[in-house]
Amino acid sequence: VKGIVIFKGKHGSTKQYADWISSALQLAQTPSDNISGPNLAEYPFLVLGSAVYVGKLTLKEWLRAHVAELQKKRIFFFLVCGTDPNDKEKVDQLIAKNIPREIIPQCQIFVLPGRLLIEKLSWKEKLLLKMGALLAKDPAQKQMMRQGYDGMRKDSIAPLVASVLAFQSSQKTPDKSAPPRMSPA
Ligand SMILES: Cc1cc2nc3c(=O)[nH]c(=O)nc-3n(C[C@H](O)[C@H](O)[C@H](O)COP(=O)(O)O)c2cc1C
């Protein structure tokens, strides 16, 4: 079964994961800006990738704009961010605030550690981070916002890749040349 990787980030870490995922699964990939409704029709499943900036998914508007088509798909969603993937409360909050309720039942969501290189940011982003660091209560979070971090690891895509492969093999049409299967005794 055919699928496609659609992503939106700003500074390259979401794109890096999209590259790793599309080569691991041999799927085409495209930034979300290049794809819209009619193009989606041919894909029974989608791998969607989004970065998180100040609590908001970069893909948020695109999701809203395509709810009708997305409701018909199986979706494997990866979030690239600084939020600890094990912090269930924060992750649930990100999901509730950004992913339209209508498509949540079709989504399997994976949180992947991103990358933040302070020197690559715009002055606006640097300012936002400085304010964020002042407000952050968790010392580890504060430190990440002040000094940046690099959590990029190709291995992190493994659970998503495994889920897609399982879905693809469950969708395979039975091979007509194979002998009829015996029903269990
Ligand atoms: C200004 C700014 C705000 C951010 N806000 C959040 C946030 O609210 N939650 C979060 O988990 N990560 C946040 N991050 C971390 C990014 O999501 C992370 O660096 C991600 O890897 C960026 O993806 P990209 O390289 O594809 O743009 C923020 C980063 C910046 C620079």
Side-chain angles (χ1 to χ4, degrees):
V1 243
K2 214 169 141 192
I4 187 168
V5 182
I6 303 172
F7 66 94
K8 183 169 179 132
K10 285 188 189 174
H11 290 289
S13 61
T14 308
K15 162 108 178 81
Q16 173 69 80
Y17 278 120
D19 286 346
W20 282 333
I21 291 165
S22 68
S23 74
L25 290 166
Q26 296 183 306
L27 297 177
Q29 55 142 308
T30 175
S32 61
D33 300 339
N34 296 346
I35 189 153
S36 63
N39 311 67
L40 290 177
E42 56 187 299
Y43 305 104
F45 79 92
L46 305 173
V47 179
L48 302 182
S50 177
V52 179
Y53 281 84
V54 200
K56 189 178 159 219
L57 301 201
T58 38
L59 206 55
K60 186 175 183 177
E61 282 81 14
W62 188 89
L63 293 172
R64 261 273 77 115
H66 297 94
V67 182
E69 302 96 290
L70 294 175
Q71 270 180 290
K72 300 174 208 151
K73 315 279 181 191
R74 253 309 276 276
I75 299 171
F76 302 87
F77 209 130
F78 63 97
L79 297 179
V80 184
C81 59
T83 300
D84 175 358
N86 300 313
D87 189 337
K88 195 176 176 313
E89 200 181 314
K90 283 217 184 101
V91 171
D92 285 348
Q93 207 179 330
L94 278 177
I95 294 168
K97 268 175 55 184
N98 288 280
I99 304 184
R101 206 175 317 167
E102 301 91 316
I103 67 168
I104 287 179
Q106 285 97 266
C107 287
Q108 218 172 321
I109 298 169
F110 302 83
V111 181
L112 308 180
R115 178 177 56 206
L116 200 155
L117 302 173
I118 308 277
E119 67 276 13
K120 296 263 172 78
L121 302 178
S122 69
W123 68 267
K124 256 190 188 170
E125 290 170 328
K126 282 185 193 158
L127 189 65
L128 279 171
L129 269 189
K130 273 194 184 143
M131 298 197 307
L134 282 175
L135 295 172
K137 291 187 189 94
D138 174 15
Q141 200 78 32
K142 229 185 234 297
Q143 158 114 354
M144 274 166 74
M145 289 174 160
R146 290 222 164 102
Q147 296 174 7
Y149 66 95
D150 188 348
M152 300 298 296
R153 278 180 59 238
K154 192 177 172 185
D155 292 353
S156 303
I157 68 171
L160 183 149
V161 167
S163 288
V164 174
L165 290 174
F167 171 73
Q168 283 179 313
S169 65
S170 77
Q171 296 298 104
K172 276 208 184 98
T173 44
D175 183 353
K176 290 212 182 79
S177 66
R181 222 190 280 174
M182 299 294 229
S183 53

